[in-house]
Amino acid sequence: MNQMNQQYPDQPGQQPTMPTGVYAPPPPKKKSAAAKVGIGCGGAFGALVLIGIIAAAVGGSDAEPQAATAPAKGKAHGDAEPAEAEPKEKPKAAHTSPVDQFKAFVAKNGSANEKAAIGHVTKVQGAEEQNDILDSVDIYTDFTGGMVGPHQSEGKLIASVFADWKQSKNGLVTIYDAKGEILSNGNF
């Protein structure tokens, strides 16, 4: 046997010496409890910051704030003159919904398969304002089955057509089915 090369420690608690030419890495250092807590808190803080950024990007309101008007000088509240009648109908060409704009783009530029898939789109959310930092758009459809369902390819097609319509340096479009399950997603 090879007992001649084995060396025993001279005193208890000593490690045996390694033969020449053999490298033994030092044992890994264990993290202290404070380091583990610090890393955990840093990760939680990072997650909260990310959620705040996403909420700020998506949480914009479409409603415009109403400005309060003060009565003219010398008139009391009850003496105010009646306001002029505003037109009851707004011009239709002034603003169309994002889903209508998207469908119009595909009707003009899309293939037959793209036009068929876009016919199932019911809502487009987040496509109006982009900042190229974190652009997130949600497209809702009347398809069913989610990612593993039979309409996953149509979801990818819708995401692809959306990327043709809108461009962003850092955009993500997510396609949902009728139950709100993710059907597909893609970059734009």
Side-chain angles (χ1 to χ4, degrees), residues 159-181:
S160 173
V161 173
F162 185 84
D164 291 340
W165 182 48
K166 295 280 187 173
Q167 286 80 34
S168 172
K169 291 179 183 176
N170 190 20
L172 176 67
V173 58
T174 306
I175 316 301
Y176 295 95
D177 70 1
K179 292 183 179 180
E181 296 179 17

Side-chain angles (χ1 to χ4, degrees), residues 55-71:
V58 177
S61 174
D62 292 341
E64 294 181 17
Q66 299 292 326
T69 57

Side-chain angles (χ1 to χ4, degrees), residues 37-55 134:
V37 169
I39 291 171
C41 290
F45 179 73
L48 288 175
V49 168
L50 181 62
I51 290 171
I53 290 171
I54 291 171
L134 181 62

Side-chain angles (χ1 to χ4, degrees), residues 8-17:
Y8 295 100
D10 294 335
Q11 295 179 358
Q14 279 187 330
Q15 294 289 329
T17 58

